[in-house]
């Protein structure tokens, strides 16, 4: 079943705290046995330029910023200003880490002026909503 962009956007009209709570239970009970090994696997491949699309409330964003340890650049994009606000509050970048948050649709972001080059792209919370061609 294909959903329109408006139907997908309507799924994210609740307050961001609800998604944090839901995310906590998903991460704790569904992915707990593998999540940190997955993050560790990808962090070994981090370069200086990182892009996270559809960051949600920033669970992964904060971990990525921590693992970059004050080195390089982290661009973060989400369609929801509420989600971005919560994500921004979770990130405490070390001096030297350039973190930029942008509100927008990830398809439009990628077709517009995305960062010239990146070493790693994370799309942790959006693949399940992609539309088949």
């Amino acid at each position: 079943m294909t959903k329109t962009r408006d139907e997908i956007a309507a799924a994210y009209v609740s307050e961001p705290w609800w998604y944090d709570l839901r995310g906590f239970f998903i991460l704790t009970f569904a992915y707990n046995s593998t999540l940190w090994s997955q993050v560790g696997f990808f962090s070994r491949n981090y370069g200086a330029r990182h892009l996270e699309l559809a960051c949600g409330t920033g669970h992964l964003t904060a971990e990525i910023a921590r693992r970059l340890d004050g080195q390089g650049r982290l661009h973060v994009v989400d369609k929801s200003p509420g989600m971005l606000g919560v994500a921004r509050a979770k990130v405490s970048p070390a001096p030297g880490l350039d973190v930029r948050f942008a509100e927008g649709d990830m398809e439009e972001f990628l077709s517009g002026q995305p960062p010239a080059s990146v070493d790693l792209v994370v799309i942790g919370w959006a693949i399940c909503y992609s539309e088949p061609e």
Side-chain angles (χ1 to χ4, degrees):
M1 178 173 158
T2 301
K3 294 187 182 278
T4 67
R5 286 184 182 204
D6 289 340
E7 288 172 322
I8 293 167
Y12 292 95
V13 296
S14 297
E15 291 294 319
W17 66 264
W18 167 245
Y19 302 103
D20 255 358
L21 180 63
R22 185 179 75 174
F24 169 79
F25 284 107
I26 290 170
L27 293 174
T28 300
F29 298 109
Y31 300 114
N32 190 39
S33 63
T34 62
L35 179 65
W36 299 117
S37 63
Q38 292 175 47
V39 170
F41 171 80
F42 287 109
S43 70
R44 289 191 301 271
N45 298 297
Y46 284 3
R49 300 159 303 196
H50 188 91
L51 173 63
E52 183 182 11
L53 299 170
C55 69
T57 59
H59 288 289
L60 293 175
T61 311
E63 183 64 19
I64 291 164
R66 188 183 71 73
R67 289 180 183 253
L68 288 173
D69 196 29
Q71 303 296 313
R73 180 182 73 217
L74 171 59
H75 285 264
V76 183
V77 179
D78 199 280
K79 194 171 190 170
S80 166
M83 299 282 197
L84 278 174
V86 174
R88 188 179 283 118
K90 287 181 182 174
V91 175
S92 303
L97 179 61
D98 178 17
V99 181
R100 298 178 187 190
F101 290 88
E103 180 184 335
D105 180 271
M106 68 181 187
E107 276 188 71
E108 292 170 9
F109 177 80
L110 291 173
S111 66
Q113 295 279 334
S117 62
V118 294
D119 297 310
L120 185 64
V121 177
V122 171
I123 309 172
W125 301 108
I127 297 298
C128 56
Y129 292 108
S130 63
E131 294 184 35
E133 293 294 320

